[in-house]
Amino acid sequence: MEREKHLSRSYEEEILKLNQELENAKNFSLSLIESIGSGIIITEINDKITYMNRAGERILGYLKNEVIGKPFSILGLKEKQSNLQSLFGGQEETDTRREGWMRRKDQAEIPVGFTINNHQDIHGETIGKIVIFRDLTKVYKMQEEILRMDRLVSLGKLASGIAHEIRNPLAGIKTTAQALGEEMPEEDPRREYLNRITKEIDRLNELLKTFFSFAKPQTLNLVPCHVREIVNAITPFLIKEIADKGIRFVEFYHPELPKLNVDKVQMHQAFLNLFLNAIQAMPNGGELRVEARPFKGPASMNPNKRGVKILISDTGKGIPPQILPKIFDPFFTTKPKGMGLGLSITYQIIKKHGGTIEVESHLEKGTTFIIYLPEVG
Ligand SMILES: Nc1ncnc2c1ncn2[C@@H]1O[C@H](COP(=O)(O)OP(=O)(O)OP(=O)(O)O)[C@@H](O)[C@H]1O
Ligand SMILES: [Mg+2]
C-alpha cells in the first residue's frame, strides 16, 4: 500500500515535470517564431487562419485578431510566374521558394518571397499549411534603381559618342554659314536664310549639351540655399503658362526649414522639369502645389541625417499604374512633342545631391513627386 502510494506520487511528479518541459518547449518555439523577421501564417485544412506572428502583422498591417479565423484568401497571395497552381490543396511541390504578391490591410499589393509547407500532426497527417513570407519591396526598389542607373550609364556612353560625331560637322557648317554671310552685302535678303541656318545650329547645339549632361556627370557647385529660392528662381518662366491655363499656384514652406546644399543651376533644372510636367498634365487648369517640411532621414538615406521633404503635386490627369515604373527612364514619353528626358535628368540631379525622388499618382486625381534632400552640414 505504502509502496503503491509512493509509486503514484513519483508518477504524478513525472507527468508534472513533463508538462512543464512541454510548456517550456512551447514557449520557446513561440517566442522564436514571434521574434523571427519573416511573416508566418498557419492555416487549418479549410484555409482558415489560426495563427500569424508579429512580423506578419508588421508586413501586412493587420493585427493578429483581425485575421485569425478569416480565410487565407483575404491576403490575396498571388504567385508571380504563370505556373499558377491552386496554392492550397494541389499536389505541387510545397517547399520551394517563390515570388509573388500579397495584399495588405490598406489594400496595397506588396511583392513577397514565400514558401508554403504542409502543416502535419504527429501522425504525419496534413492538418493545414504553414506560409512563410518576406516583404520584398525594398529589394525590388534597389533592383530597379540599379537597372535604371545602368540604363543611364549606357545612354551616357551612346549620347557622348553621337554628340561628338555631330558636334564637329555642326561647327563646320556654322563657320561656313558665317563666312558666307560676311561675303554678302549688308542688305542682301539672303542673309535671312543664313540667320535661320545659324539659329537652327544653335538649337541643335543646345540639344547636344543636354545629351552631354548625361555623358559627363558635371561636378556640383554646392551652395547653401533655401527651397523657396529655388522655386522663386524658376517661377518667372512659368507664370504666363500658369495664368493662361488657369492654374492655381500654392506654396507652403515650414517656418523652420533647414537650408540645402545645392548646385543652383542643376537644381533649377530639376524643379523646372517637374513643374513643366505638372503644368502639361493640367491643360484645363487645376492646382500646382509645392510643400516643404523638415524631416529626419528615411531608411533609404542615412537615417541620422536631417533634411527637407519636398512635395510637388498637381491635380492633373495622373499616371496610369502600368507606365509608372518607366517614367524616370530616358526617352520614355507619352507626349507627341516630348523627348522623355525631363524626369530622367531630374532623377540624376537629385541622386547626385544625395537625395531621393519618388512618385505617387492617381488617375484623374493627380500626381505627387516626393523629394528628399539632405540639409547643409
Ligand atoms: N505630373 C505628371 N502628370 C502626369 N504624367 C506625368 C507627370 N510627370 C510625368 N508624367 C509622365 O511621364 C512621362 C515622362 O516625363 P518626362 O518629363 O521624363 O518626359 P516628357 O515630359 O514626356 O518629355 P520632356 O520632359 O523631355 O519634354 C511623360 O510623358 C508623362 O507621361
Ligand atoms: Mg517633361
Side-chain angles (χ1 to χ4, degrees):
M1 187 69 184
E2 245 332 91
R3 197 176 130 79
E4 235 169 67
K5 216 170 160 189
H6 182 73
L7 259 182
S8 89
R9 172 142 1 105
S10 71
Y11 183 63
E12 256 173 38
E13 276 171 4
E14 196 64 21
I15 291 206
L16 221 64
K17 213 170 120 208
L18 274 175
N19 264 341
Q20 189 58 45
E21 273 172 17
L22 205 65
E23 194 60 26
N24 286 349
K26 220 169 101 190
N27 282 342
F28 178 69
S29 39
L30 197 69
S31 60
L32 204 67
I33 55 175
E34 275 298 318
S35 61
I36 225 163
S38 297
I40 298 177
I41 287 176
I42 302 177
T43 70
E44 286 174 345
I45 199 85
N46 63 3
D47 275 5
K48 285 246 164 68
I49 299 172
T50 54
Y51 173 78
M52 176 166 81
N53 71 344
R54 215 175 302 145
E57 293 187 302
R58 179 174 46 77
I59 297 171
L60 297 171
Y62 282 105
L63 291 174
K64 283 186 178 59
N65 56 17
E66 290 173 312
V67 293
I68 288 176
K70 300 266 166 60
F72 182 76
S73 57
I74 61 159
L75 304 176
L77 177 61
K78 271 191 305 200
E79 188 161 8
K80 199 172 174 186
Q81 281 110 27
S82 54
N83 58 340
L84 263 175
Q85 293 150 314
S86 129
L87 289 176
F88 283 78
Q91 289 297 309
E92 77 273 27
E93 187 67 53
T94 48
D95 58 357
T96 46
R97 274 163 210 283
R98 307 159 172 189
E99 280 183 28
W101 291 271
M102 279 175 100
R103 209 166 39 234
R104 289 171 46 90
K105 187 182 175 186
D106 60 13
Q107 298 302 304
E109 290 220 318
I110 53 160
V112 291
F114 66 96
T115 60
I116 299 177
N117 296 294
N118 282 333
H119 185 201
Q120 292 170 335
D121 65 10
I122 46 170
H123 310 296
E125 192 111 355
T126 300
I127 53 169
K129 300 268 181 190
I130 302 176
V131 185
I132 305 176
F133 55 101
R134 228 155 42 90
D135 183 356
L136 295 183
T137 311
K138 278 204 187 119
V139 179
Y140 274 29
K141 246 195 184 151
M142 263 163 66
Q143 277 175 351
E144 216 171 81
E145 297 237 319
I146 290 168
L147 279 179
R148 185 169 291 142
M149 281 323 233
D150 218 42
R151 280 198 291 269
L152 285 173
V153 168
S154 0
L155 175 80
K157 283 190 189 137
L158 183 75
S160 73
I162 296 176
H164 220 83
E165 289 305 307
I166 298 178
R167 242 191 186 180
N168 293 340
L170 267 188
I173 298 171
K174 190 172 173 178
T175 2
T176 317
Q178 279 166 344
L180 208 58
E182 275 160 25
E183 285 182 13
M184 280 180 192
E186 249 342 289
E187 65 288 357
D188 195 319
R190 286 171 305 173
R191 268 176 176 266
E192 183 45 34
Y193 298 143
L194 290 176
N195 273 344
R196 251 187 262 166
I197 293 176
T198 324
K199 248 205 201 132
E200 289 298 305
I201 291 173
D202 288 342
R203 212 163 66 89
L204 276 175
N205 267 327
E206 277 306 305
L207 202 70
L208 290 178
K209 258 197 229 153
T210 317
F211 280 117
F212 265 123
S213 68
F214 271 115
K216 280 201 206 111
Q218 297 130 334
T219 46
L220 295 175
N221 176 20
L222 296 176
V223 288
C225 170
H226 192 280
V227 181
R228 191 198 302 266
E229 285 177 63
I230 303 171
V231 177
N232 283 350
I234 54 177
T235 34
F237 299 104
L238 305 169
I239 282 296
K240 192 173 166 336
E241 257 202 290
I242 288 181
D244 286 351
K245 289 192 171 148
I247 293 172
R248 256 187 334 277
F249 183 54
V250 183
E251 291 170 89
F252 169 83
Y253 303 102
H254 189 279
E256 280 151 38
L257 215 51
K259 286 202 166 185
L260 302 169
N261 245 340
V262 301
D263 181 307
K264 284 195 182 178
V265 178
Q266 293 193 35
M267 202 47 82
H268 292 165
Q269 175 80 58
F271 275 59
L272 189 62
N273 292 342
L274 293 173
F275 284 163
L276 284 173
N277 283 344
I279 294 170
Q280 287 158 5
M282 299 186 286
N284 305 316
E287 187 174 291
L288 168 54
R289 197 179 162 84
V290 190
E291 239 181 273
R293 299 174 192 278
F295 88 104
K296 190 123 156 79
S300 53
M301 291 169 67
N302 182 345
N304 300 318
K305 191 118 187 149
R306 294 177 60 88
V308 178
K309 175 181 183 179
I310 305 155
L311 304 177
I312 297 177
S313 40
D314 63 64
T315 55
K317 55 182 173 228
I319 305 173
Q322 67 272 22
I323 71 164
L324 213 51
K326 300 188 194 142
I327 59 166
F328 292 104
D329 284 357
F331 299 117
F332 177 82
T333 181
T334 55
K335 300 172 190 169
K337 286 190 181 160
M339 286 263 288
L341 284 178
L343 283 181
S344 61
I345 291 173
T346 298
Y347 179 87
Q348 266 201 333
I349 294 172
I350 302 288
K351 280 270 147 179
K352 273 195 281 183
H353 281 79
T356 61
I357 175 165
E358 289 162 17
V359 62
E360 266 173 25
S361 188
H362 298 283
L363 275 184
E364 306 306 333
K365 292 224 174 80
T367 305
T368 302
F369 284 88
I370 307 142
I371 300 168
Y372 295 98
L373 284 168
E375 71 175 66
V376 175

